[in-house]
């Protein structure tokens, strides 16, 4: 009876361009680790559920608190636990609310644990870190640019010169990358539309020049698709990409999901209390390590 729900969510995902979160009891698990006790779980029962998540480009938000959200309520040696309740979101949600957290609360009056979803506000920092893309090395103008930057004379100590040349190289490569590649993820979408228009024009005119123009646009489209695939492969650290996977919203969502792991949403102190907000987390971390180093110094 869940199959119609999965189909409805798939249809919804095709027209959903806003931040989208689905939260509640899915009556299904995503891995064997989400069930303990009872009979061994057959993962084939979850294939439709997992396929829906991938087709819709959704990512699990993970959680704080107890690992399981449901129990069968039976006595000792018969009780079983599962994580049937979760929150899953699309790429736009991860972009708009990257610090979203879900906490499994204590169950009361139900065999399911309630879920608390919190949208934390985090200060955005303007500083962007330099990222080296492997696809740059295949560009003919990459090495000459790096050679030109490192051949520039800079006075000072060896460490100062090295540091300054690294900064200059990163700035030069950032500008060069925008000029050479533009928006790596937007260009394939633009050229996909251009290919459609060129195909329609050639079919209506049957002109050899329109056919040649179509082939030229198709070549550019293929080039941008390959660049996008290389960048996605590097960001996701995957070695099992298949043809066509690069354009899947699922992989973009996974990248957002990996970035979420860089955030420290909460910290639990020695008293067992959860600490939130960047300033409070920073103070707690400093106090913790200060205490450790003080003991080492005194010892």
């Amino acid at each position: 009876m869940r199959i119609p729900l999965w189909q409805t969510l798939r249809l919804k995902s095709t027209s959903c361009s806003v931040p989208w979160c689905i939260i509640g009891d899915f009556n299904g698990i995503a891995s064997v680790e989400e069930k303990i006790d009872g009979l061994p779980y057959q993962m084939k029962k979850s294939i439709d559920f997992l396929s829906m998540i991938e087709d819709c480009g959704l990512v699990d938000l993970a959680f704080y608190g107890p690992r399981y959200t449901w129990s069968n309520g039976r006595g000792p040696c018969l009780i079983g636990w599962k994580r049937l309740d979760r929150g899953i979101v699309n790429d736009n949600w991860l972009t708009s609310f990257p610090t979203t957290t879900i906490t499994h609360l204590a169950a009361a009056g139900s065999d399911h644990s309630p879920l608390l979803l919190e949208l934390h506000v985090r200060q955005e920092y303007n500083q962007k870190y330099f990222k080296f893309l492997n696809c740059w090395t295949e560009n003919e103008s990459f090495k000459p640019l790096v050679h030109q930057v490192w051949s520039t004379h800079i006075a000072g100590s060896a460490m100062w010169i090295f540091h300054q040349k690294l900064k200059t190289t990163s700035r030069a490569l950032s500008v060069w990358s925008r000029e050479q590649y533009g928006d790596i993820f937007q260009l394939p979408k633009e050229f996909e539309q251009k290919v459609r228009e060129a195909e329609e024009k050639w079919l209506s005119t049957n002109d050899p020049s329109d056919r040649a123009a179509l082939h030229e646009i198709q070549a550019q489209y293929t080039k941008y698709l390959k660049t996008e695939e290389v960048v996605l492969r590097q960001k996701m650290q995957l070695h099992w990409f298949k043809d066509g996977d690069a354009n899947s919203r699922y992989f973009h969502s996974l990248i957002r999901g990996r970035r979420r792991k860089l955030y420290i949403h909460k910290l639990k102190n020695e008293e067992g209390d959860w600490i939130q907000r960047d300033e409070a987390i920073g103070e707690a971390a400093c106090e913790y390590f200060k205490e450790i180093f003080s003991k080492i110094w005194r010892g």
Side-chain angles (χ1 to χ4, degrees):
M1 295 180 64
R2 285 170 286 180
I3 300 300
L5 173 59
W6 306 153
Q7 294 297 341
T8 300
L9 293 176
R10 285 189 178 93
L11 291 174
K12 176 67 176 177
S13 70
T14 59
S15 59
C16 184
S17 58
V18 298
W20 185 29
C21 174
I22 313 169
I23 183 173
D25 174 17
F26 289 88
N27 199 24
I29 63 176
S31 68
V32 293
E33 290 78 15
E34 294 183 347
K35 177 183 183 297
I36 57 172
D37 297 330
L39 296 174
Y41 187 77
Q42 302 295 325
M43 280 306 298
K44 63 182 181 180
K45 297 179 181 179
S46 296
I47 290 178
D48 293 323
F49 176 47
L50 296 174
S51 297
M52 178 276 295
I53 293 177
E54 180 175 343
D55 294 342
C56 295
L58 300 172
V59 172
D60 194 305
L61 281 174
F63 59 89
Y64 290 91
R67 184 176 182 83
Y68 307 101
T69 65
W70 172 88
S71 71
N72 56 17
R74 298 178 182 176
C77 302
L78 295 175
I79 192 169
W81 298 87
K82 292 181 182 178
R83 184 194 174 203
L84 299 181
D85 308 83
R86 70 185 70 237
I88 51 179
V89 298
N90 66 352
D91 184 52
N92 285 335
W93 184 283
L94 292 176
T95 303
S96 303
F97 312 108
T99 57
T100 303
T101 61
I102 286 184
T103 304
H104 295 171
L105 304 179
S110 172
D111 54 358
H112 286 265
S113 299
L115 305 184
L116 173 64
L117 183 145
E118 298 176 270
L119 303 178
H120 303 285
V121 177
R122 178 179 289 257
Q123 181 181 357
E124 293 293 335
Y125 298 97
N126 294 324
Q127 181 180 4
K128 294 185 177 180
Y129 295 98
F130 175 74
K131 297 178 181 178
F132 183 90
L133 299 180
N134 295 335
C135 62
W136 291 346
T137 60
E138 300 176 3
N139 191 303
E140 294 180 355
S141 59
F142 169 73
K143 287 185 178 180
L145 174 63
V146 175
H147 183 268
Q148 177 184 350
V149 173
W150 282 79
S151 298
T152 304
H153 176 71
I154 299 178
S157 65
M159 284 303 299
W160 169 259
I161 295 174
F162 180 74
H163 180 67
Q164 290 301 311
K165 287 192 175 182
L166 279 180
K167 290 176 60 177
T168 305
T169 303
S170 64
R171 287 195 296 265
L173 285 175
S174 297
V175 174
W176 171 84
S177 180
R178 288 193 295 269
E179 294 174 349
Q180 293 288 321
Y181 299 96
D183 189 329
I184 292 175
F185 298 118
Q186 183 61 31
L187 283 172
K189 298 176 183 178
E190 295 178 359
F191 272 83
E192 183 179 11
Q193 180 61 30
K194 291 181 180 180
V195 168
R196 292 197 191 100
E197 295 172 354
E199 287 176 342
E200 293 175 359
K201 183 176 182 180
W202 177 52
L203 289 173
S204 62
T205 64
N206 200 28
D207 190 305
S209 61
D210 291 333
R211 180 183 180 184
L214 171 61
H215 289 169
E216 176 64 25
I217 295 175
Q218 286 177 330
Q220 291 179 290
Y221 178 47
T222 302
K223 181 184 71 172
Y224 291 128
L225 280 178
K226 290 182 177 179
T227 301
E228 181 189 42
E229 178 179 334
V230 170
V231 173
L232 284 174
R233 189 196 301 269
Q234 178 181 346
K235 288 189 174 184
M236 284 304 302
Q237 300 179 8
L238 296 178
H239 304 284
W240 43 270
F241 252 71
K242 298 179 181 178
D243 292 339
D245 280 346
N247 289 323
S248 171
R249 290 171 298 167
Y250 179 64
F251 288 98
H252 289 278
S253 296
L254 285 180
I255 292 173
R256 299 286 185 189
R258 288 173 65 92
R259 290 175 182 170
R260 285 189 77 250
K261 295 180 180 179
L262 299 177
Y263 288 124
I264 299 177
H265 302 282
K266 301 180 181 180
L267 278 181
K268 183 179 287 188
N269 60 20
E270 295 181 351
E271 289 74 29
D273 299 323
W274 285 105
I275 300 174
Q276 302 186 50
R277 299 189 304 275
D278 289 352
E279 292 183 1
I281 290 174
E283 291 176 2
C286 288
E287 288 297 324
Y288 175 77
F289 287 104
K290 182 179 179 180
E291 180 66 22
I292 290 179
F293 291 128
S294 297
K295 291 180 180 179
I296 295 174
W297 180 260
R298 291 194 300 266

